């Protein structure tokens, strides 16, 4: 049910003149203005969004628009996304989970791959 609901909302937003990536109105789309983050080392981002956050304009999703090669978005509760999140991990990666709820700090070895999981709660 959630899958169908998310697809229905996405199609309606795009048909209504919204960007399918950042959800801003096409005239205010910021995707072209964003550029990849100047990061050293092999860093990948996994953004886990609540379904209510997924269709909001802007927010953490802008990281994907600015750096789609390093960033994947997963919707909590969507079975295909939960399975894909598990499959996307790499054994050799360091992993850190950050929450939009707190002020997290972490240190990592830039010579090793890093996976940053951002969890955005409603």
């Amino acid at each position: 049910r959630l899958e169908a609901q998310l697809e229905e909302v996405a199609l309606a937003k795009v048909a209504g003149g919204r960007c399918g990536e950042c959800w801003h109105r096409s005239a205010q789309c910021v995707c072209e203005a964003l550029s990849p983050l100047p990061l050293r080392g092999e860093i990948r981002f996994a953004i886990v969004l609540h379904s209510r956050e997924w269709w909001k304009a802007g927010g953490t999703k802008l990281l994907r628009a600015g750096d789609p090669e390093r960033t994947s978005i997963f919707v909590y509760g969507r079975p295909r996304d939960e399975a894909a999140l598990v499959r996307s991990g790499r054994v050799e990666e360091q992993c850190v989970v950050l929450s939009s709820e707190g002020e997290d700090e972490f240190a990592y070895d830039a010579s090793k791959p890093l996976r940053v999981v951002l969890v955005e709660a409603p």
Side-chain angles (χ1 to χ4, degrees):
R1 173 92 181 109
L2 177 62
E3 183 75 33
Q5 183 182 17
L6 291 172
E7 293 302 319
E8 183 180 316
V9 171
L11 290 172
K13 284 188 173 277
V14 171
R18 301 254 179 186
C19 168
E21 194 68 36
C22 70
W23 295 132
H24 285 285
R25 296 193 185 284
S26 294
Q28 286 88 31
C29 174
V30 297
C31 294
E32 290 294 319
L34 299 174
S35 58
L37 298 170
L39 301 172
R40 294 183 340 199
E42 184 182 340
I43 301 175
R44 295 184 315 131
F45 296 93
I47 301 171
V48 182
L49 299 174
H50 188 279
S51 59
R52 287 181 282 173
E53 296 294 319
W54 179 73
W55 48 57
K56 289 183 180 178
T60 312
K61 288 186 316 209
L62 294 179
L63 182 60
R64 165 120 173 98
D67 206 343
E69 298 299 317
R70 293 185 189 215
T71 309
S72 300
I73 295 179
F74 303 93
V75 178
Y76 177 77
R78 182 194 275 183
R80 74 174 186 187
D81 283 1
E82 290 179 355
L85 177 61
V86 171
R87 286 192 313 270
S88 69
R90 297 180 190 158
V91 174
E92 73 276 7
E93 286 181 316
Q94 304 168 82
C95 184
V96 62
V97 178
L98 304 176
S99 168
S100 60
E101 299 290 314
E103 305 220 359
D104 304 305
E105 292 183 23
F106 64 95
Y108 72 97
D109 181 349
S111 68
K112 297 179 182 175
L114 173 68
R115 182 175 196 213
V116 179
V117 179
L118 303 167
V119 180
E120 189 166 310

